[in-house]
């Protein structure tokens, strides 16, 4: 680990200069691509963040335009955990997530590791190191061996990037009815509309009606997006899973 470069992160005089140092640290560890994102609050929209990235511009533009953060399992992991996640194809389970991964691969973002950021004042973010390498067992072993060094980069990156993060007004959470919250909690643990209808004792059409209202309140298109938004706003938490 180059302590000089870590120190340069702390003293970079602009966001662009800071980003160049971070990208150099990524390359020194064998990652051609790096993405850092930081928001003042985990309850703020993920799109409202300080971002430095050398990912392909076409991929970044599509990711943002299609709001793929709401279906990206890496983002969901970071919202729920402080532990790093090494990307594996099986992490992207649903058809939408699989399409996201395939598209990322086509842009050279195939393998990598992401570190969540949870700051002491409620800051939320992530740091991803990526490459076009095959995510095979040898790659996983190599990345696992450098997790401690990369975590140190994450810590320095967070400490030095807070000054670049603009203040973000907290988004007001939409008001959900008790029944809508109940339905959303069951969706979070993977239940279908039919299963939820049996659990709650109402019709499948009524469950779908509630989900339609929830999607409208969150201004999202899918159930998975609604769950991610609800978690980010603190309306539901994974720890509250029905057993």
């Amino acid at each position: 680990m180059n302590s000089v470069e870590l120190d340069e992160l702390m003293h970079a005089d602009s966001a662009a200069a800071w980003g160049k140092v971070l990208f150099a640290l990524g390359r020194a560890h064998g990652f051609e691509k790096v993405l850092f994102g930081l928001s003042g609050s985990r309850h703020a929209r993920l799109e409202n963040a300080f971002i430095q990235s050398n990912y392909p511009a076409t991929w970044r533009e599509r990711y943002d335009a299609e709001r793929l953060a709401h279906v990206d399992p890496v983002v969901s992991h970071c919202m729920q955990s402080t532990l790093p996640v090494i990307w594996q194809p099986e992490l992207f389970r649903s058809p939408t997530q699989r399409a996201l991964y395939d598209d990322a691969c086509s842009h050279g973002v195939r393998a990598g590791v992401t570190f969540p950021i949870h700051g002491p004042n409620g800051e939320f973010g992530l740091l991803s190191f990526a490459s076009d390498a095959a995510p095979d067992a040898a790659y996983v072993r190599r990345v696992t061996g450098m997790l401690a060094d990369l975590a140190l980069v994450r810590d320095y990156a967070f400490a030095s990037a807070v000054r670049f993060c603009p203040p973000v007004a907290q988004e007001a959470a939409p008001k959900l009815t008790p029944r809508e919250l109940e339905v959303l909690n069951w969706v979070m643990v993977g239940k279908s509309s039919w299963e939820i209808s049996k659990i709650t004792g109402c019709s499948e059409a009524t469950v779908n009606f509630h989900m339609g209202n929830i999607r409208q309140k969150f201004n999202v298109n899918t159930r998975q997006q609604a769950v991610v938004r609800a978690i980010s706003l603190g309306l539901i938490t994974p720890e509250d899973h029905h057993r």
Side-chain angles (χ1 to χ4, degrees), residues 176-197:
L176 300 184
T177 67
R179 180 65 89 179
E180 288 169 348
L181 282 170
E182 182 183 15
V183 168
L184 199 55
N185 267 290
W186 285 118
V187 171
M188 178 173 61
V189 297
K191 299 298 184 183
S192 67
S193 290
W194 181 84
E195 291 172 318
I196 297 171
S197 73

Side-chain angles (χ1 to χ4, degrees), residues 22-34 54 111-113 115 128-133 139 142-143 146 150:
L22 184 64
F23 302 155
L25 283 164
R27 287 192 296 272
H29 288 85
F31 298 98
E32 306 93 5
K33 301 174 182 67
V34 178
N54 62 356
V113 57
F115 290 81
S128 291
F129 299 93
S131 75
D132 197 24
Y139 178 87
R142 185 171 71 83
V143 173
M146 64 176 74
L150 295 176

Side-chain angles (χ1 to χ4, degrees), residues 11-129:
H11 296 96
D13 58 5
S14 69
W18 182 91
K20 288 181 180 179
V21 177
L22 184 64
F23 302 155
L25 283 164
R27 287 192 296 272
H29 288 85
F31 298 98
E32 306 93 5
K33 301 174 182 67
V34 178
L35 181 143
F36 177 91
L38 182 66
S39 174
S41 168
R42 75 186 300 271
H43 301 312
R45 283 188 175 275
L46 296 173
E47 295 86 348
N48 296 333
F50 166 67
I51 295 177
Q52 288 288 301
S53 169
N54 62 356
Y55 279 23
T58 52
W59 172 233
R60 288 286 308 132
E61 290 166 2
R62 176 168 181 179
Y63 190 96
D64 291 342
E66 298 186 13
R67 305 174 71 186
L68 295 176
H70 294 302
V71 297
D72 190 339
V74 172
V75 174
S76 298
H77 168 89
C78 290
M79 296 183 71
Q80 301 170 32
S81 177
T82 58
L83 300 175
V85 56
I86 299 175
W87 305 355
Q88 296 281 270
E90 55 267 26
L91 181 66
F92 301 83
R93 297 187 181 93
S94 74
T96 303
Q97 292 171 345
R98 185 67 200 183
L100 181 158
Y101 180 69
D102 290 343
D103 202 4
C105 290
S106 72
H107 288 86
V109 184
R110 181 180 306 275
V113 57
T114 297
F115 290 81
I117 296 171
H118 297 276
N121 297 310
E123 302 94 344
F124 169 72
L126 56 82
L127 174 58
S128 291
F129 299 93

Side-chain angles (χ1 to χ4, degrees), residues 194-220:
W194 181 84
E195 291 172 318
I196 297 171
S197 73
K198 298 304 178 186
I199 294 168
T200 59
C202 59
S203 71
E204 188 173 352
T206 299
V207 173
N208 289 331
F209 172 77
H210 288 312
M211 276 310 309
N213 285 341
I214 292 168
R215 290 197 304 271
Q216 184 177 31
K217 288 180 179 181
F218 284 131
N219 190 28
V220 297

